[in-house]
Structures are given as C-alpha cells and as structure tokens.
Amino acid sequence: QVQLVESGGGLVQAGGSLRLSCTASGPTFSDYAMGWFRRAPGKEREIVAAISRNGVFVYYPDSVKGRVAISRDSAKNGVNLQMNSLKPEDTATYFCAADRATTMYYVPSSADSYDYWGQGTQVTVSS
C-alpha cells in the first residue's frame, strides 16, 4: 500500500510559478513510476507529467510541454512538479499518482495505469 500526499498548491497570478510536491509512504518508492494529473471543473482528468522509475524518462502532453518539469527526489520518497508561465487554464486540482511499473524506463501516460492516488492540491491561476 502506498499513500501519497501532495503539497504546494495555491493562488498565483498568470505568468507565475508554483512547485508541487508529492511524498510517498512505503519502502518501495523506487518500484513506482510517478505521474501528475489534474482535473478542472467540468473537464476530464488529464495527465500533466509522468516520470519513470529511474527518473530518466519523462512524458509531457503538448498542453504543458516547455512549462512544467517533473523530477524525483528519492531521498524524500517524493516527486516534484515545477510549473512556470502559469495560465488561467492551468487552474485545477492536481493529483499525484503511482504506478507499480515492471520496468525502470516505463512512463505511463494513462490514468488507468496508476495504482495509487493522492487527495489532490488546488492550483488557482488568476488573470
């Protein structure tokens, strides 16, 4: 069982930056590929970023590519999401997720792949 706790959300002006963090409980953090998703009111959940177990391979959808960066912090059993040049359309609840991936290089981009989810942290970008 893995428990995920997100932090770092808040209110920011358009063009600003935020850094989200997710801490995972459990001794086998390295067994999991990690991802960040978001859900805006009235919209489907969508992926924001994902990273492989070894931290080498990442995935970003076109909607955020160039503005976000995901990284692992193995010492803290965590994964971070640096978001820059934020836009009002980035307003959403952001969720951290863990996928018990069988290979070190797999980067899951589908929400269905993930086994565990955090409770979410709210990000609001004002115009």
Side-chain angles (χ1 to χ4, degrees), residues 2-101:
V2 174
Q3 292 186 325
L4 304 172
V5 179
E6 303 96 337
S7 61
L11 174 65
V12 63
Q13 288 188 332
S17 298
L18 276 178
R19 183 178 178 86
L20 305 184
S21 296
C22 172
T23 301
S25 66
T28 57
F29 176 68
S30 61
D31 288 348
Y32 294 86
M34 302 296 294
W36 283 96
F37 290 77
R38 67 185 180 187
R39 178 183 284 130
K43 294 188 176 181
E44 297 290 320
R45 179 174 53 187
E46 63 175 347
I47 189 168
V48 179
I51 190 166
S52 60
R53 285 173 54 186
N54 61 7
V56 173
F57 300 96
V58 296
Y59 169 80
Y60 305 109
D62 289 342
S63 58
V64 300
K65 193 174 292 183
R67 300 191 296 119
V68 306
I70 187 171
S71 59
R72 298 182 73 109
D73 184 346
S74 298
K76 297 182 179 180
N77 267 16
V79 61
N80 300 312
L81 183 70
Q82 178 67 42
M83 302 191 294
N84 302 319
S85 302
L86 285 163
K87 306 174 182 180
E89 51 263 44
D90 293 318
T91 295
T93 301
Y94 285 70
F95 299 89
C96 174
D99 175 343
R100 192 175 178 88

